Amino acid sequence: MGLEYYLALSAIFFGIGLYGALTRRNAVAVLLSIEIMLNGATLNLVSFSRFTPAKSTGQVFTLFIMAVAAAEVAVGLALVFALYRAAKTVDVDEIDMLRG
Amino acid sequence: MSWSVFAPEIIVFAVALIALLIELDRDVKRPWLGYVIGMGFIGALVADAVLLGAGVTETAFNGGYRIDALAAAFKAILLAASALVAIATARVSIAGAKRGEFYLLLSLSVLGATMMASAGDLLVLFLSLELTVLPSYALVALKRDGRSTEAALKYFLLGMVASAIFIYGASLTFGLTGSISFTDIAASLSRTGMSPALVIGIITLLAGLGFKIAAVPFHFWAPDVYEGADVPVASYLAVGPKAGGFAAIIRLFVVALGPAATTWAPLFAIIAVGSMLVGNLAALSQTTVRRLLGYSSIAHTGYLLVGLAVVSGYARTSLIFYFLVYSAAVLGAFLIVLAAAPTVGESIEGFAGLSKRAPGLSFAMAVFLFSLVGLPPLAGFIGKFYLFSSAVRGGMVWLAVVGVVNSVISFGYYSNIIRQMYLVKPVASSEVSVPWPLKATIYFLVAAIAVIGIYPSAILTMLNL
């Protein structure tokens, strides 16, 4: 299989994730969609690294992305909990205390 | 390479550790912590100024980290602003949080922004960008009420989407040029030229970084965050992440994607015009000072991006100079809100007759707002003059015209606050009491804006303008 298949798959991942992040109303579902976007990017990195004579840069980059994504989810879920405590909802369309 | 070139970063990291350790001791009230942290930032600023003065140019970690004049200039602005925030908040109550938590998250975010200014490849840029924004999400939520949590969650979700788009762009750029190092990307670009996929890569990289500087159309978080977060947090966010973001944009686009300048310069021009118009027009209808400042900061991102739409060294130096001037004025305006809000609230009507109740504060606020408009003899005038003259020199007269027209529009809402303070009768007559460190920082910023405005050559020669 050539590089194009991997790139197409990663573009599909990225597109699905972006669509979900923009349309889902549940904050946790938005978080999940963002993870799918990240998967698209990391698949890109790994496959470029595999198919070019270049070194292992893509793989190393991917490891860093995974670590950062874990940290981000920790912060994100804490915020979702805090929001649920304050507003009794995790629906991003229902919170509208700030307007203008 | 010697480790001394990392002195600013090492000192900021030490400051973060001090805040963390002190926070462990839960019983101490720690009113002095702000001074300690502020002194730490000033120490880092001195170290950075020495590097800038000596003209140190170093590349470390296989091209991943660069210490040069561009990095040092942005670090100096960032560290000075952070020191002022730390000292100004020393005797102000930080809502809902332990003082140590605030300073710990603040200094970690500052560390991320300083590293962002020095990033020399896409991986370091990504990591430092995340180090800048992750603590700032927590900072926004620190107040622990509904509004700040809502602002933090919006900021977080939009920020994550922007980061994911940025990484996708980074992966495309890496794949098409075969490297993540900025200099290698530039070399590969000038060898192979542009491809459609690379254009997508450039647009996505721009989208990811545009979020950090609150440029249209990635600006939606800014008014919410500036309104919902605690005021000390908002005053830092108006300067800190933007300093890192602009430094990273200049380095990524000018150094790494320089051969593709004809592709991205028009994009910056469009974003600049959009940010100016959206920011200024939305600010006209605002009723709270903080939300108004949020939209005004979007407009200022637009003015600053003129320095990138015009591809020249002169324009970029004007950008750095205007960033310094903007930081001083917007930080000052937020500190005035911090000082006045406990007594008069945050709505623009609340500022009615403030000149009778707090003449010093009102005068300072007038100076900050006039500097944001760009009236002579204040620093904002010199900054805008250089920025717009760089557009004229670069053959983009229309961009300079748009900028000037927008400055006139912005006079409408800034002058509304000044009219309230000076021409409307006060609703109450109680004194506005302000802790002295906060007062001292506000007057320091007034003095800085006046001095830079009357005697700009001191800074300009440092930047070689």
Side-chain angles (χ1 to χ4, degrees):
Chain A
M1 286 220 296
L3 177 59
E4 311 80 53
Y5 296 95
Y6 292 94
L7 296 188
L9 181 63
S10 85
I12 292 170
F13 269 150
F14 184 77
I16 293 175
L18 187 58
Y19 177 77
L22 298 178
T23 55
R24 294 303 294 263
R25 300 163 67 216
N26 186 311
V28 180
V30 178
L31 265 178
L32 283 173
S33 308
I34 293 167
E35 291 300 315
I36 299 176
M37 289 172 77
L38 288 175
N39 284 345
T42 49
L43 184 60
N44 245 353
L45 283 167
V46 173
S47 40
F48 273 130
S49 238
R50 168 76 181 72
F51 281 94
T52 44
K55 340 99 227 199
S56 49
T57 313
Q59 279 94 333
V60 174
F61 206 136
T62 301
L63 287 177
F64 276 104
I65 292 174
M66 286 160 73
V68 169
E72 278 175 335
V73 168
V75 174
L77 287 180
L79 287 176
V80 173
F81 278 134
L83 181 75
Y84 185 74
R85 257 191 234 140
K88 290 282 171 279
T89 177
V90 292
D91 190 325
V92 285
D93 282 353
E94 277 178 29
I95 47 167
D96 50 3
M97 285 164 271
L98 302 159
R99 267 174 189 282
Chain B
M1 185 197 83
S2 114
W3 285 97
S4 59
V5 296
F6 297 113
E9 286 85 350
I10 293 171
I11 296 173
V12 172
F13 187 55
V15 166
L17 289 183
I18 290 171
L20 177 66
L21 288 176
I22 289 173
E23 182 53 35
L24 291 175
D25 179 9
R26 296 196 155 271
D27 300 327
V28 189
K29 278 271 185 263
R30 309 173 276 260
W32 41 266
L33 187 54
Y35 306 124
V36 174
I37 305 293
M39 283 303 148
F41 285 143
I42 290 174
L45 174 63
V46 170
D48 184 63
V50 170
L51 290 177
L52 181 61
V56 175
T57 310
E58 288 261 12
T59 312
F61 305 124
N62 204 10
Y65 207 82
R66 293 157 155 267
I67 291 109
D68 54 15
L70 171 69
F74 272 104
K75 281 181 201 173
I77 300 172
L78 170 74
L79 290 168
S82 314
L84 289 172
V85 170
I87 293 171
T89 52
R91 294 174 69 97
V92 177
S93 72
I94 311 249
K98 307 264 181 343
R99 196 163 284 277
E101 276 176 3
F102 170 69
Y103 290 121
L104 168 65
L105 293 168
L106 175 72
S107 32
L108 284 178
S109 180
V110 171
L111 178 63
T114 50
M115 290 174 63
M116 215 162 143
S118 274
D121 69 26
L122 289 169
L123 179 57
V124 175
L125 177 54
F126 166 65
L127 291 177
S128 55
L129 190 146
E130 292 303 317
L131 181 57
T132 312
V133 290
L134 276 180
S136 58
Y137 302 139
L139 274 175
V140 174
L142 213 52
K143 212 166 143 196
R144 297 202 171 97
D145 63 355
R147 290 157 63 85
S148 68
T149 313
E150 179 192 339
L153 193 69
K154 282 179 180 170
Y155 184 30
F156 171 78
L157 291 176
L158 283 169
M160 281 290 297
V161 172
S163 292
I165 294 176
F166 173 82
I167 299 171
Y168 193 73
S171 73
L172 283 180
T173 312
F174 161 68
L176 296 170
T177 60
S179 175
I180 56 169
S181 156
F182 289 173
T183 43
D184 293 352
I185 290 175
S188 164
L189 265 184
S190 50
R191 226 179 17 249
T192 58
M194 291 298 294
S195 65
L198 206 55
V199 175
I200 297 176
I202 289 176
I203 292 173
T204 45
L205 285 173
L206 181 57
L209 288 171
F211 167 83
K212 267 58 196 183
I213 57 168
V216 167
F218 319 105
H219 64 285
F220 296 103
W221 59 274
D224 286 346
V225 165
Y226 292 161
E227 188 188 2
D230 207 9
V231 194
V233 175
S235 53
Y236 165 70
L237 289 182
V239 177
K242 273 196 177 185
F246 269 106
I249 284 184
I250 293 179
R251 205 184 290 280
L252 175 61
F253 283 89
V254 176
V255 177
L257 303 172
T262 46
T263 308
W264 52 256
L267 285 175
F268 276 116
I270 296 167
I271 296 178
V273 172
S275 303
M276 284 186 232
L277 285 174
V278 169
N280 281 324
L281 294 178
L284 282 173
S285 60
Q286 296 308 315
T287 52
T288 67
V289 179
R290 275 212 266 166
R291 225 177 155 75
L292 184 147
L293 287 175
Y295 280 109
S296 125
S297 85
I298 295 171
H300 276 85
T301 296
Y303 301 134
L304 288 162
L305 285 177
V306 170
L308 278 157
V310 184
V311 189
S312 70
Y314 179 83
R316 288 191 288 279
T317 318
S318 314
L319 190 165
I320 299 174
F321 180 73
Y322 191 64
F323 191 82
L324 167 71
V325 171
Y326 154 79
S327 303
V330 80
L331 185 60
F334 269 111
L335 292 181
I336 299 272
V337 176
L338 179 62
T343 329
V344 304
E346 288 177 4
S347 70
I348 295 174
E349 277 85 48
F351 277 65
L354 195 68
S355 60
K356 303 276 189 312
R357 300 166 70 185
L361 281 189
S362 306
F363 174 72
M365 186 66 161
V367 169
F368 296 141
L369 295 180
F370 280 137
S371 181
L372 286 173
V373 179
L375 288 187
L378 297 168
F381 170 71
I382 312 284
K384 277 190 178 162
F385 175 78
Y386 278 107
L387 210 48
F388 296 152
S389 72
S390 78
V392 174
R393 276 196 193 190
M396 301 180 86
V397 181
W398 65 274
L399 200 55
V401 171
V402 171
V404 172
V405 168
N406 268 283
S407 301
V408 175
I409 298 175
S410 74
F411 187 71
Y413 55 86
Y414 292 128
S415 64
N416 185 27
I417 300 180
I418 294 166
R419 187 181 65 86
Q420 289 283 350
M421 289 193 303
Y422 281 93
L423 301 177
V424 179
K425 277 201 168 60
V427 281
S429 58
S430 58
E431 285 279 305
V432 179
S433 74
V434 182
W436 69 264
L438 180 52
K439 216 178 239 173
T441 38
I442 289 172
Y443 291 138
F444 174 80
L445 285 168
V446 171
I449 286 174
V451 169
I452 296 174
I454 294 162
Y455 187 61
S457 46
I459 304 282
L460 292 175
T461 47
M462 215 190 293
L463 293 170
N464 291 323
L465 196 76

